[in-house]
């Protein structure tokens, strides 16, 4: 776990994420139409398309700077619940990385952990509430093993939301009826970790 | 759908608003609708916004006596903080800005961020959350009651208060009083279709009703086979009155979800009045129409707002917006 | 549908109107809606009516500055002469009554009979037929062009003229001027369902449009596959402008058929403006909303009315009705 | 053709007509939904139900008086195009019969002919325009033969509207597209003659 990551890596990560989101947008919307308002696919698409544009047109920066810019862009573009939450995740992680031109995977993990904590605070939510956190938390923890392990853990975390009762966000209005559906935000979080693994390959 | 492409639906609508309403300043690119004479000197400003698809809410309620600015998001998606920050700067006269926010996680988070950013820029911001929908029980285990029809009462009454020159704390307190005294219940007779999805966002078989539906088609309390207008009025008012038995005369909003003909909506209003009469609930005013819509959903909602003398006076005060107009 | 039983739909709606609008006198049994201060001394009275299902037309246009009375028929069925006779007696101040009649055989015949009966009772009656719909060519081999959106212009402008105290001949002449200068074209994106039928009154497969549809779902010029908002605006305005190239600035009504979201309607208004700009047709005023509806039909229509200075002044004059309100 | 008809006969006729209209209402609406606005069944039902109520509650009168009362009732109850037209048909026929307590079939025919003429004047229409006239005219003429013949001729007249191009009323908006559908008003007119034959049996 001593690979060293630069700003270019983060750009590749976010670009891969945009690709996955584009590919899976319809599925995200489908999931959101079961327990939400059918816009998660469009929200993520709009956001990550803008992120790619931002990081592509800016001079290449440090990993922290790239993440902060991406987070800001999400906040300014997405709207909905996922915009501020994902935006905060990346922005806070970026801030935590500071100005180092290169960071280790361990440092990235620490940064993302800080980001996830901010998501919890902002959303007033916790793992088990059937939200993006249920994929983010296991994903970040499994980074200690490998990028691939993180992708797998996030994916499993997303799947694990199926039997959960939603307590936060729009899906919470469903009460018992939210059970049996996979959370769209957890699903898109799993895509972020899949993109991370892709960028690292 | 009567659209060009899903991606431009909101921008196209804003261009149309700009064309039809010279009394508004419509910034299509930045998605901000502002009354032309803003900032109004000495006046607290009212700012609201939310996902598009609920028109005339909120852009149709910008004007003298109601909102100073509205920030429309994508369809059914809350706006981004940049919009509210820009709008707040445009309407603040120095006496502060009240954010009127419907209680959805997305709106709450984006408006919260906007409030922080606007305060950084020296604007005094107060926020009132509207959460009137009794279909969703208010509990720490959910995102809380949703904001629906009461938004119109809050925007109208707080808007009139601001127009009278009341200070921010007073306008905010009145807005909170309206929220505390308002409850809603909605019913869907058909699902709504978003441009992005190109079809219904949920399944509602013909002849079935979703009781307690949310304004984005969020599920409600239960599904039932078709009911009469009379029965729907009973169920809706039962739910509303159980949650908040009124001790004052009420303002009544009989609201259409979008695709229910006004003819049917007036018939429903008659049943609403009949039930209220039977329960000896005095009605002060009744507003019937499509005010807080859900695109092309067929259905309706009822909102009651308990109104003391002051709220009633503020309700009756003049208002000049695209969607609500009376008085001078 | 949000109804009790099909048989009581109109009566239920009138009860609702009575409950919501204390400023109107609603005679539910005899199906007459009259402004509360009628007859207004010294004023020519305006009376209209037609089948129900087009709300707010006509009952929603009763009030100062517009109609003195409206007579709603059954859904999509013209009212009976008794209604108009009763209404005319209620609103005539002695200066005469103008009947505003949409050009459908049923309306024409029933209003004609009513005019004869009212005249027998000493009321002076003049009648103006509204026939603005260019989808149906005016020919001696048909019932003639249908009356649609221009009805709103006639009722508003003639209503303002009457309010100013003009005599019957002048009010009638202005109404005729509006009719002569107005043309409409409508498009359906879905069929409408009447309570009596319990389902769609015509078949319109998903993804198909009826170009030139009538307000009761009457067929138009042709069917086509889905078009963009932009293309629809072009086809509609092409038809309108070909029939009557404007030589004056126009009043524009961008009207919703009932189930088309206001969001989409404003987007359509933007395209209408774009096409008019390109063709160098100056626009004086634009009204966007659901004013002449067809129950739950999805779709829209555009009406242009050529307005000289006087018409424009009368259009801008104050109006206070349930469905249209501005000024003081 | 020298049967003598009294007011009771006219009441039986109108009652039979109300029964047939009730039975065939859905079909009338179906026809009207093809080339009109889908209300002809409801219009006729409402009108004839009111007619029956009127003639039942009034003291029995002369044939002319019954027809006039029925015509007035249709005008006051139906609305639409068919209300004034059918109302005028009956009212004019009733007036033509005068105050005779009993009338012959020949007199009834003459009276109905006057009624049909008034319908033409009021509607500005002529046979061949694809309207009720296309059943009324042959029906009235065949009364010279028998009630049954009149019923048959009116029925045939209604069927003959199928290939016609509508020139009057709502169906005229269809132009060529009106061809191939039977006119609802002609169909209800045939019912009136069927009811006449029924009353005479
Ligand atoms: N309070 C919260 N904490 C964490 N995640 C949340 C919260 N509320 C919603 N989410 C996540 O956001 C996702 C929905 O995002 P999106 O559909 O884009 O926004 P919206 O719900 O406003 O339409 C949910 O599936 C969930 O994972
Ligand atoms: N000008 C006319 N002359 C004679 N009959 C007419 C005329 N216009 C319409 N009709 C008849 O009226 C029938 C329609 O009646 P109805 O549906 O009750 O009224 P509406 O057309 O007003 O909805 C048509 O089928 C036709 O037979
Ligand atoms: Mg969503
Ligand atoms: Mg959303
Ligand atoms: Mg009709
Ligand atoms: Mg008809």
């Amino acid at each position: 776990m001593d690979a060293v990551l630069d700003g270019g890596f983060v750009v590749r990560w976010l670009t891969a994420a945009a690709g996955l989101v584009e590919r899976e947008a319809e599925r995200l919307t489908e999931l959101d139409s079961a327990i939400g308002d059918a816009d998660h696919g469009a929200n993520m698409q709009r956001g990550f398309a803008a992120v790619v544009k931002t990081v592509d047109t800016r001079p290449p920066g440090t990993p922290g700077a790239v993440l902060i810019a991406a987070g800001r862009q999400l906040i300014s573009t997405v709207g909905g619940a996922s915009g501020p939450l994902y935006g905060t995740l990346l922005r806070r992680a970026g801030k935590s990385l500071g100005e180092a031109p290169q960071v280790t995977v361990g440092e990235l993990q620490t940064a993302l952990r800080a980001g996830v904590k901010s998501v919890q605070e902002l959303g007033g939510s916790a793992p088990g509430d059937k939200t993006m956190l249920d994929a983010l938390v296991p994903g970040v923890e499994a980074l200690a093993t490998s990028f691939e392990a993180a992708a797998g853990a996030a994916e499993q975390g997303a799947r694990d939301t199926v039997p959960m009762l939603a307590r936060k966000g729009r899906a919470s209005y469903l009460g018992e009826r939210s059970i049996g559906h996979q959370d769209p935000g957890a699903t898109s979080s799993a895509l972020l970790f899949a993109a991370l693994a892709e960028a690292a390959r | 759908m009567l659209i060009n492409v899903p991606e431009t639906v909101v921008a196209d609508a804003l261009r149309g608003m700009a064309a039809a309403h010279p009394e508004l300043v419509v910034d299509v690119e930045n998605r901000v609708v502002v009354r032309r004479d803003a900032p109004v000197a000495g006046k607290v400003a009212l700012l609201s916004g939310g996902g598009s698809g609920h028109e005339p809410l909120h852009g149709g309620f910008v004007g003298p006596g109601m909102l100073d600015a509205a920030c429309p998001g994508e369809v059914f998606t809350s706006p981004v903080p940049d919009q509210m920050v820009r709008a707040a700067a445009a309407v603040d006269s120095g006496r502060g800005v009240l954010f009127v926010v419907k209680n959805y996680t997305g709106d709450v988070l984006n408006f919260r961020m906007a409030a922080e950013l606007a305060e950084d820029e020296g604007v005094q911001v107060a926020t009132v959350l509207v959460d009137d929908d009794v279909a969703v029980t208010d509990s720490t285990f959910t995102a809380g009651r949703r904001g629906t029809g009461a938004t119109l009462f809050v925007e109208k009454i707080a808007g009139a208060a601001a127009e009278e020159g009341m200070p921010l704390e007073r306008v905010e307190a009145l807005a909170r009083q309206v929220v505390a005294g308002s409850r809603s219940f909605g019913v869907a007779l058909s699902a709504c279709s978003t441009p992005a999805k190109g079809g219904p966002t949920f399944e509602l078989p013909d002849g079935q009703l979703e009781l307690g539906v949310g304004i984005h088609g969020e599920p409600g309390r239960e599904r039932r086979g078709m009911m009469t207008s009379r029965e729907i009025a009973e169920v809706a008012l039962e739910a509303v009155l159980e949650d908040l038995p009124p001790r004052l005369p009420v303002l009544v909003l009989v609201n259409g979800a979008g695709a229910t003909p006004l003819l049917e909506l007036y018939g429903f209003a008659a049943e609403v009045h009949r039930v209220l009469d039977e329960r000896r609930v005095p009605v002060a005013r009744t507003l019937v129409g499509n005010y807080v819509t859900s695109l092309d959903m067929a259905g309706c909602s009822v909102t009651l707002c308990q109104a003391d003398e002051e709220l009633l006076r503020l309700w009756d005060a003049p208002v000049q917006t695209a969607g609500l107009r009376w008085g001078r």
Side-chain angles (χ1 to χ4, degrees), chain A, chain B:
Chain A
M1 295 254 48
D2 42 12
V4 175
L5 314 168
D6 60 7
F9 172 82
V10 177
V11 170
R12 285 200 305 283
W13 171 24
L14 297 170
T15 309
L20 288 181
V21 159
E22 183 73 35
R23 208 184 69 195
E24 300 290 320
E26 224 172 282
R27 185 164 157 251
L28 295 176
T29 291
E30 210 48 66
L31 292 172
D32 197 29
S33 95
I35 59 172
D37 59 351
D39 63 355
H40 192 56
N43 288 349
M44 295 297 288
Q45 250 179 319
R46 193 169 59 247
F48 276 86
V51 161
V52 168
K53 222 168 166 183
T54 300
V55 297
D56 274 359
T57 52
R58 286 163 52 91
T62 62
V66 175
L67 283 174
I68 289 173
R72 276 217 190 105
Q73 190 60 56
L74 287 178
I75 292 172
S76 294
T77 315
V78 177
S82 55
L85 292 170
Y86 276 129
T88 296
L89 173 74
L90 300 192
R91 225 163 66 97
R92 184 70 190 77
K95 281 197 175 166
S96 151
L97 290 178
E99 293 173 9
Q102 298 196 316
V103 301
T104 66
V105 179
E107 284 165 341
L108 179 65
Q109 186 190 30
T110 306
L112 285 173
R113 216 178 256 145
V116 170
K117 192 158 160 266
S118 296
V119 169
Q120 285 196 232
E121 281 164 15
L122 184 63
S125 46
D129 286 350
K130 193 177 184 119
T131 69
M132 55 174 68
L133 288 171
D134 294 307
L136 290 177
V137 169
V140 170
E141 290 320 312
L143 270 181
T145 309
S146 71
F147 286 121
E148 296 294 340
E155 173 61 34
Q156 184 57 47
R159 275 200 299 269
D160 288 347
T161 61
V162 173
M164 290 180 185
L165 178 77
R167 293 190 212 274
K168 287 292 158 185
R170 215 173 275 281
S172 69
Y173 305 138
L174 275 127
E176 303 283 331
R177 286 152 89 185
S178 66
I179 293 172
H181 299 277
Q182 184 164 324
D183 180 63
T187 310
S188 57
S189 286
L191 294 180
L192 295 196
F193 281 95
L196 191 56
E198 199 178 307
R201 252 171 241 147
Chain B
M1 290 175 198
L2 184 59
I3 62 171
N4 290 318
V5 291
E7 291 70 28
T8 64
V9 164
V10 175
D12 289 347
L14 288 174
R15 284 193 295 120
M17 278 209 95
H21 300 290
E23 72 279 14
L24 297 174
V25 179
V26 180
D27 181 340
V28 177
E29 198 191 340
N30 295 299
R31 306 205 168 182
V32 170
V33 179
V34 174
R35 59 186 270 194
R36 188 159 288 287
D37 57 354
V40 181
K43 191 181 99 60
V44 165
L46 250 76
L47 187 162
S48 192
S52 292
H54 308 300
E55 289 66 27
L57 186 83
H58 296 271
F61 297 149
V62 175
M66 216 160 165
L67 296 178
D68 293 78
C71 303
E74 283 296 319
V75 171
F76 289 179
T77 300
S78 79
V80 298
D82 311 43
Q83 292 171 264
M84 284 75 93
V85 172
R86 184 180 294 264
V91 298
D92 182 31
S93 72
R95 294 202 70 200
V97 182
L98 181 68
F99 285 7
V100 179
V101 183
K102 303 197 294 304
N103 189 36
Y104 299 95
T105 307
D107 295 82
V108 171
L109 298 183
N110 285 284
F111 272 91
R112 192 190 299 163
M113 292 197 155
E116 282 167 21
L117 294 166
E119 277 165 352
D120 286 355
E121 293 181 11
V123 178
Q124 193 190 351
V125 176
T127 297
V128 57
L129 281 188
V130 185
D131 63 343
D132 51 315
D133 188 348
V134 299
V136 178
T137 39
D138 187 16
S139 132
T140 44
F141 294 109
T142 75
R145 284 197 308 254
R146 302 173 293 212
T148 65
T151 317
L152 181 145
F153 289 131
V154 173
E155 292 177 2
K156 171 67 186 75
I157 289 169
E163 209 74 40
E164 287 189 358
M166 294 189 194
L168 183 57
E169 310 78 67
R170 183 77 196 116
V171 175
E172 181 189 347
L174 282 162
R176 287 192 199 288
Q177 182 186 342
V178 174
V179 171
S182 296
R183 293 294 187 277
S184 296
F185 191 88
V187 175
L189 279 72
S190 81
C192 52
S193 300
T194 58
K197 185 121 202 277
T201 58
F202 63 102
E203 292 289 321
L204 187 57
D206 234 38
Q208 293 257 313
L209 297 171
E210 177 82 33
L211 294 179
V213 74
I215 57 172
H216 313 87
E218 295 99 334
R221 290 188 175 183
E222 57 167 321
R223 256 181 208 189
R224 285 227 208 136
M226 204 43 79
M227 295 160 68
T228 63
S229 169
R230 164 82 200 186
E231 288 163 346
I232 293 173
E234 269 164 5
V235 167
L237 287 167
E238 172 79 42
V240 162
L241 294 170
E242 187 175 280
D243 203 83
L244 190 73
R247 284 173 309 162
L248 290 168
V250 292
L251 309 176
V252 182
L253 170 63
V254 175
N255 180 59
T260 284
L262 204 50
L263 182 73
E264 297 179 18
L265 207 58
Y266 270 109
F268 181 63
E271 302 306 333
V272 166
H273 268 255
R274 193 139 74 164
V275 175
L276 290 173
D277 278 359
E278 284 167 12
R279 297 182 174 237
R280 311 241 176 288
V281 178
V283 174
R285 301 287 183 275
T286 302
L287 184 68
V288 181
N290 291 286
Y291 292 104
V292 182
T293 60
S294 305
L295 293 171
D296 62 345
M297 189 189 283
C300 58
S301 63
V302 194
T303 306
L304 301 187
C305 170
Q306 306 200 35
D308 60 18
E309 287 297 319
E310 181 168 33
L311 292 202
L312 204 54
R313 179 177 61 75
L314 294 167
W315 175 252
D316 286 341
V319 57
Q320 297 294 339
T321 69
L324 204 67
R325 250 172 229 259
W326 59 66
R328 180 215 39 77

